Amino acid sequence: MKCCENIKYRIRITGGAPTKNFTSWFEGMSVSNTDEIDEFNLEGKVKDQAALYSLLIKIRDLGLKLISVERI
């Protein structure tokens, strides 16, 4: 396996409650609530760095705020 391929990430975001659309917007990522109000996690494997950047751009375009990105 090459560096940065199929790595699992947890991305914590805020700025809106997860909806049914989140599953389709963030295909392949699971969506879960956190203990904090208005925060949630996206978790799943990311194909490569380009796919990770694509997720981050989507978060920005949806007006959500990035809290953290964690490789797990």
Side-chain angles (χ1 to χ4, degrees), residues 50-68:
L52 178 60
Y53 285 121
S54 177
L55 283 170
L56 297 176
I57 290 168
K58 205 174 284 190
I59 289 167
R60 180 203 63 198
D61 290 349
L62 290 169
L64 303 170
K65 294 180 183 176
L66 180 66
I67 297 172
S68 66

Side-chain angles (χ1 to χ4, degrees), residues 1-10 29 44-49 52 70-72:
M1 175 174 18
K2 293 181 184 177
C3 172
C4 306
E5 286 187 0
N6 291 313
I7 295 173
K8 192 170 184 179
Y9 286 94
R10 179 180 301 124
M29 303 292 281
K45 289 186 178 180
V46 177
K47 179 180 168 185
D48 54 24
Q49 279 193 326
L52 178 60
E70 178 183 8
R71 184 176 171 173
I72 54 176

Side-chain angles (χ1 to χ4, degrees), residues 3-61:
C3 172
C4 306
E5 286 187 0
N6 291 313
I7 295 173
K8 192 170 184 179
Y9 286 94
R10 179 180 301 124
I11 302 171
R12 182 170 277 202
I13 52 183
T14 188
T19 66
K20 293 177 184 178
N21 292 332
F22 271 51
T23 306
S24 62
W25 292 335
F26 299 106
E27 189 174 318
M29 303 292 281
S30 63
V31 180
S32 62
N33 291 319
T34 67
D35 293 335
E36 299 296 322
I37 296 173
D38 199 33
E39 287 185 11
F40 53 96
N41 292 323
L42 298 173
E43 192 172 306
K45 289 186 178 180
V46 177
K47 179 180 168 185
D48 54 24
Q49 279 193 326
L52 178 60
Y53 285 121
S54 177
L55 283 170
L56 297 176
I57 290 168
K58 205 174 284 190
I59 289 167
R60 180 203 63 198
D61 290 349

